[in-house]
């Protein structure tokens, strides 16, 4: 059968000693960045990217994917053991896990969370593998006009479903697009005039942009905030096994979470966060009066964890099938694919089936690895969790600088990254979201080349509005903007996304 | 006229300024026409959109009341200064003095970004970071970095 043939292709790519080692390293790095203060998946991936110098496409993508998955696992663990702050959507879903850990049952909560995450991720991958052929057919009907409209839709969708002001986020997308266009040329000339730096490059490297905005900018921001060091977390794990009644309760919650996550993960922006929040709300409603919600209900741990991981997996789908990044993490992966010689787009699935199925298989392997290593290494992560930030940021700064230099051997890139660090801090102070810059920056050149294809024979812009699929995508984009700006939607949206 | 949201006011101004700057930059390139856009065409269109959005943010910041005026808050001058200079210094030092000395200098200098340095911690970081950087980047990954 075709399906099994594809799976076999995938495993023959992913199941090599090198790729397994890469996946394990990636998982460990992912955990580390989620556990250490002030880092996240985007920062971790950006710091690893320069080290991928001579690695091939498959190994690089497996590494990045495992960092992403590992960081999400780590983040769910951190949310259980530290006290949730405020009323953010994510903190809300962590309430029950934290209550369990205060009752001395952190071990059981972590086991439930880990097993739910792993099971949900594997199920979601199965759904993806089944759904992939449908998308391949769909992708064949995508011409330049549809692709441009699809990019516009996903860019706007990504900011509409993310926290912060929509108008500022749109401006940030445009800034990213502009930086990918002329920014480099002018910065280059400026540097040549002002500093006499001759070895300037003609384009800004996306890793330099990411490291500046997301790593250096974050360091300055965090150092500027009043010290809120996480005080010593010395909690007792207790029995690692959940009670059998709890297992019974958690099982259906995992199925439901998986479904919610698989669907929401396809949404642009903070899809998996939204999935986690929705799953929590659903479980609480289904439990009704019988539930222990808010006092440590195991369903409140299993459902959101399952939805989050399923969402993470299915957010790979738009990337692999259409070449569309829906958030900053995926944007980095698109950049890496392009860098390693496989331009992302709708043709990838049919022209490189081994890459597509290999990555699906690798994601499955990563989940199994995470499930095997997560619980045994728990104590190590908790030690790292208590590491004060003052030891972390100098090392992160050095790794960033070394990475930037290793990228192209250019000192000019180091001055550029310092500039982007300042820019990241300024935008943080002005409450302008940063991920849209990265999305715009990475989608910019792709969008331009498709636009030029569209205009190629006759110079007709009309294709964008005469082709039905393209037109409906553009109309949906417009509707989305109007919808988000409606006063009745604006308030709950701000509430749901606050500080996520 | 009263500024009702400090953050949005400055963000709006910044977007306006960036839009104008990019537009000036774009105008140096060939425009082309809408049917065959030149290198400057798309940039100019995007800059114009940026100016419009900047003006919109600015307008809204002067129109709608926000709680407490949405102030920017204190600016972290010291971390801003130390981290930026650390990176620039790294760029200046690396080709001259090599990896080990540069890492040492950068770790030592960044430790002054906040509060009083924690001396024992600083010694250990200064010892371990260059060593780890050398082992990982030069011996492990064989990246082309001057030692």
């Amino acid at each position: 059968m075709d399906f099994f043939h594809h799976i076999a292709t995938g495993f023959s790519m992913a199941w090599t000693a090198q790729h397994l080692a890469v996946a394990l390293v990636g998982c460990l790095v992912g955990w580390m960045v989620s556990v250490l203060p002030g880092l996240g998946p985007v920062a971790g991936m950006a710091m690893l990217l320069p080290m991928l110098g001579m690695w091939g496409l498959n190994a690089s993508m497996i590494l990045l994917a495992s960092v992403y998955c590992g960081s999400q696992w780590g983040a769910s663990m951190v949310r259980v053991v530290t006290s949730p702050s405020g009323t953010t959507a994510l903190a809300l879903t962590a309430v029950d896990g934290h209550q369990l850990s205060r009752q001395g049952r952190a071990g059981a909560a972590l086991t439930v969370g880990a097993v739910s995450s792993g099971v949900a991720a594997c199920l979601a991958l199965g759904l993806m593998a089944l759904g992939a052929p449908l998308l391949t057919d769909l992708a064949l009907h995508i011409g330049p006009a549809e692709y441009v409209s699809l990019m516009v839709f996903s860019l706007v969708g990504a900011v509409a479903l993310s926290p912060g002001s929509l108008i500022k986020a749109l401006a940030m997308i445009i800034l990213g697009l502009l930086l990918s266009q002329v920014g480099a040329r002018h910065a280059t000339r400026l540097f040549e005039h002002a500093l006499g730096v001759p070895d300037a490059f003609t384009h800004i490297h996306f890793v330099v942009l990411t490291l500046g905005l997301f790593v250096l900018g974050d360091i300055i921001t965090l150092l500027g905030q009043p010290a809120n060091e996480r005080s010593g977390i010395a909690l007792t794990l207790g029995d690692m096994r959940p009670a059998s009644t709890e297992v019974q309760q958690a099982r259906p919650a995992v199925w439901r979470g998986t479904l919610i996550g698989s669907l929401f993960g396809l949404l642009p922006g903070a899809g998996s966060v939204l999935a986690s929040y929705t799953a929590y709300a659903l479980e609480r409603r289904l439990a009704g009066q019988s539930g222990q919600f808010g006092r440590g209900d195991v369903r409140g741990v299993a459902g959101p964890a399952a939805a989050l991981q399923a969402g993470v997996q299915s957010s790979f789908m738009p990337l692999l099938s259409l070449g569309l990044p829906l958030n900053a993490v995926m944007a980095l992966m698109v950049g890496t694919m392009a860098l390693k010689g496989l331009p992302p787009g709708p043709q990838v699935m049919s022209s490189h089936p081994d890459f597509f199925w290999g990555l699906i298989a690798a994601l499955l392997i990563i989940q199994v690895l995470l499930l095997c290593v997560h619980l045994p290494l728990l104590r190590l992560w908790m030690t790292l969790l208590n590491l004060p930030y003052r030891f972390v940021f100098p090392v992160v700064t050095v790794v960033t600088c070394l990475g930037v230099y290793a990228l192209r051997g250019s000192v000019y890139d180091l001055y550029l990254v310092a500039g982007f660090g300042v820019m990241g801090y300024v935008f943080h102070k002005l409450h302008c979201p940063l991920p849209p810059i990265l999305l715009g920056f990475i989608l910019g050149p792709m969008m331009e080349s498709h636009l030029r294809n569209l205009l190629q024979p006759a110079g007709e812009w009309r294709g964008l509005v005469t082709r039905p699929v393209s037109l409906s995508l553009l109309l949906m984009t417009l509707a989305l903007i109007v919808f988000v700006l409606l006063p009745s939607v604006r308030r709950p949206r701000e509430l749901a996304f606050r500080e996520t | 006229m009263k500024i009702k949201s400090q953050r949005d006011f400055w963000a709006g101004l910044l977007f306006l300024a960036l839009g104008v700057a990019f537009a000036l930059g774009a105008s140096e390139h060939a425009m082309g026409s809408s049917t065959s856009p030149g290198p400057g065409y798309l940039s100019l269109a995007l800059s114009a959109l940026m100016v419009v959005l900047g003006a919109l943010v600015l307008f809204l910041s002067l129109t709608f009341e926000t709680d407490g005026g949405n102030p920017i808050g204190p600016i972290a001058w010291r971390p801003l200064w130390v981290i930026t200079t650390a990176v620039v210094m790294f760029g200046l030092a690396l080709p001259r003095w090599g990896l080990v000395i540069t890492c040492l200098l950068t770790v030592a200098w960044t430790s002054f970004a906040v509060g009083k340095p924690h001396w024992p911690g600083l010694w250990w970081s200064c010892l371990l970071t260059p060593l780890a950087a050398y082992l990982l980047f030069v011996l492990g990954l064989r990246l082309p970095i001057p030692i």
Side-chain angles (χ1 to χ4, degrees), chain A residues 37-193:
Chain A
L39 292 170
V42 175
M45 286 162 72
M47 288 199 292
L48 276 181
L49 273 169
M51 307 180 194
L52 298 177
M54 65 289 283
W55 294 20
L57 171 74
N58 294 340
S60 309
M61 289 299 284
I62 290 175
L63 184 69
L64 294 186
S66 54
V67 171
Y68 184 36
C69 294
S71 75
Q72 296 303 308
W73 275 63
S76 347
M77 185 208 79
V78 171
R79 282 200 293 277
V80 169
V81 295
T82 58
S83 63
S85 52
T87 52
T88 70
L90 270 181
L92 199 61
T93 64
V95 166
D96 282 286
H98 185 61
Q99 284 299 325
L100 278 173
S101 75
R102 282 182 59 182
Q103 294 159 18
R105 305 199 50 227
L110 289 169
T111 308
V112 169
V115 174
S116 313
S117 300
V119 170
C122 294
L123 289 173
L125 284 168
L127 286 177
M128 276 162 72
L130 287 172
L134 295 175
L135 274 169
T136 329
D137 293 342
L138 191 73
L140 291 177
H141 297 288
I142 291 180
E146 283 83 6
Y147 206 59
V148 171
S149 306
L150 197 59
M151 282 178 170
V152 173
F153 176 70
S154 62
L155 274 178
V156 173
V159 296
L161 297 176
S162 309
S165 143
L166 179 66
I167 305 170
K168 282 201 255 181
L170 288 175
M172 294 300 264
I173 293 182
I174 293 172
L175 181 58
L177 292 170
L178 280 168
L179 279 176
S180 76
Q181 291 253 320
V182 288
R185 259 171 264 157
H186 286 274
T188 306
R189 199 172 312 149
L190 190 103
F191 267 99
E192 273 170 354
H193 281 305

Side-chain angles (χ1 to χ4, degrees), chain A residues 47 50-51 53-55 165 167-168 170-172 174-175 177-179 181-183 185-186 189 216 219-221 223-225 390-391 393-395 397-399 401-403 405-406 409 411 414-415 417-419 421-422 425-432 448 451-452 455 458-461, chain B residues 7-8 10-11 14-15 18 22 25-26 28-29 34-35 37-39 41-43 46-47 49-50 53 56-57 60 70 72-76 79-80 83-84 86-88 90-92 94-95 99 103 106-107 110-111 113-114 118 121-122 125 129 133 136-137 141-146:
Chain A
M47 288 199 292
M51 307 180 194
M54 65 289 283
W55 294 20
S165 143
I167 305 170
K168 282 201 255 181
L170 288 175
M172 294 300 264
I174 293 172
L175 181 58
L177 292 170
L178 280 168
L179 279 176
Q181 291 253 320
V182 288
R185 259 171 264 157
H186 286 274
R189 199 172 312 149
L216 294 183
I219 290 179
I220 301 170
T221 306
L223 290 178
Q225 284 165 354
R390 64 168 184 274
F391 295 133
F393 77 87
V395 178
T397 312
V398 169
V399 173
C401 292
L402 276 170
Y405 186 79
V411 174
L414 279 164
Y415 305 145
V417 85
V422 175
Y425 179 67
V426 169
F427 281 131
H428 179 86
K429 276 311 238 184
L430 298 176
H431 276 193
C432 298
E448 195 190 344
L451 203 58
R452 287 193 189 283
L455 297 176
E460 293 257 358
W461 287 82
Chain B
R7 279 197 161 111
D8 286 6
W10 291 109
L14 184 61
F15 288 141
L18 284 170
F22 276 111
E28 289 175 17
H29 296 280
S34 72
T35 47
Y41 187 86
L42 288 176
S43 314
L46 287 169
S47 314
L49 203 53
M50 181 104 159
L53 287 174
L56 193 61
V57 173
L60 292 176
N70 203 2
I72 293 177
I75 294 170
L80 192 63
I83 298 292
T84 314
V87 177
V88 173
F90 189 97
L92 292 173
L94 189 65
L99 174 92
C103 284
T106 312
V107 170
T110 44
S111 302
V114 65
H118 178 264
L122 184 57
S125 315
T129 315
L136 178 65
F137 283 83
L141 294 161
R142 296 170 199 282
L143 293 176
I145 296 172

Side-chain angles (χ1 to χ4, degrees), chain A residues 88-438:
Chain A
T88 70
L90 270 181
L92 199 61
T93 64
V95 166
D96 282 286
H98 185 61
Q99 284 299 325
L100 278 173
S101 75
R102 282 182 59 182
Q103 294 159 18
R105 305 199 50 227
L110 289 169
T111 308
V112 169
V115 174
S116 313
S117 300
V119 170
C122 294
L123 289 173
L125 284 168
L127 286 177
M128 276 162 72
L130 287 172
L134 295 175
L135 274 169
T136 329
D137 293 342
L138 191 73
L140 291 177
H141 297 288
I142 291 180
E146 283 83 6
Y147 206 59
V148 171
S149 306
L150 197 59
M151 282 178 170
V152 173
F153 176 70
S154 62
L155 274 178
V156 173
V159 296
L161 297 176
S162 309
S165 143
L166 179 66
I167 305 170
K168 282 201 255 181
L170 288 175
M172 294 300 264
I173 293 182
I174 293 172
L175 181 58
L177 292 170
L178 280 168
L179 279 176
S180 76
Q181 291 253 320
V182 288
R185 259 171 264 157
H186 286 274
T188 306
R189 199 172 312 149
L190 190 103
F191 267 99
E192 273 170 354
H193 281 305
L195 301 168
V197 183
D199 63 337
F201 282 87
T202 48
H203 66 283
I204 301 172
H205 200 295
F206 73 95
V207 177
V208 175
L209 182 75
T210 317
L211 284 172
L213 288 179
F214 289 87
V215 181
L216 294 183
D218 267 15
I219 290 179
I220 301 170
T221 306
L222 276 174
L223 290 178
Q225 284 165 354
N228 50 350
E229 300 270 334
R230 278 181 287 213
S231 53
I233 300 154
L235 86 173
T236 44
L237 284 174
D239 193 357
M240 296 302 286
R241 280 167 306 180
S244 63
T245 50
E246 287 178 328
V247 176
Q248 296 261 310
Q249 279 182 331
R251 203 173 287 146
V254 172
W255 307 148
R256 288 190 288 264
T258 307
L259 270 182
I260 292 173
S262 303
L263 288 176
F264 277 57
L266 300 172
L267 290 178
S272 51
V273 174
L274 213 58
S276 171
Y277 179 64
T278 311
Y280 184 78
L282 178 74
E283 290 308 320
R284 189 155 72 172
R285 177 156 301 183
L286 282 178
Q289 291 300 319
S290 69
Q292 293 275 316
F293 273 76
R295 298 190 300 271
D297 194 302
V298 75
R299 282 168 288 188
V301 180
L308 185 71
Q309 262 323 304
V312 166
Q313 308 306 316
S314 75
S315 68
F316 276 89
M317 209 55 201
L319 169 83
L320 293 173
S321 59
L322 298 170
L324 278 182
L326 301 182
N327 52 41
V329 169
M330 293 297 149
L332 283 182
M333 297 212 192
V334 164
T336 310
M337 275 169 78
L339 202 65
K340 297 288 173 190
L342 178 62
Q347 80 289 346
V348 165
M349 218 149 73
S350 44
S351 67
H352 291 78
D354 52 329
F355 169 73
F356 177 83
W357 292 102
L359 208 58
I360 299 259
L363 284 169
L364 200 69
I365 294 172
I366 288 166
Q367 292 301 327
V368 177
L369 274 178
L370 285 165
L371 203 54
C372 295
V373 194
H374 185 65
L375 295 175
L377 286 183
L378 221 47
R379 293 196 186 276
L380 176 65
W381 305 129
M382 293 216 206
T383 324
L384 282 181
L385 201 57
N386 287 325
L387 200 66
Y389 191 55
R390 64 168 184 274
F391 295 133
V392 179
F393 77 87
V395 178
V396 173
T397 312
V398 169
V399 173
T400 303
C401 292
L402 276 170
V404 167
Y405 186 79
L407 216 51
R408 303 193 280 199
S410 152
V411 174
Y412 160 74
D413 276 346
L414 279 164
Y415 305 145
L416 208 56
V417 85
F420 284 135
V422 175
M423 194 165 122
Y425 179 67
V426 169
F427 281 131
H428 179 86
K429 276 311 238 184
L430 298 176
H431 276 193
C432 298
L434 293 173
I437 295 194
L438 193 60

Side-chain angles (χ1 to χ4, degrees), chain A residues 153 156-157 159-161 166-167 170 473-493, chain B residues 56:
Chain A
F153 176 70
V156 173
V159 296
L161 297 176
L166 179 66
I167 305 170
L170 288 175
L473 279 168
L474 288 179
L475 287 178
M476 272 157 69
T477 313
L478 228 102
L480 197 61
I481 293 180
V482 172
F483 178 72
V484 171
L485 290 178
L486 285 179
S488 55
V489 179
R490 222 164 69 192
R491 213 150 274 279
R493 173 175 168 269
Chain B
L56 193 61

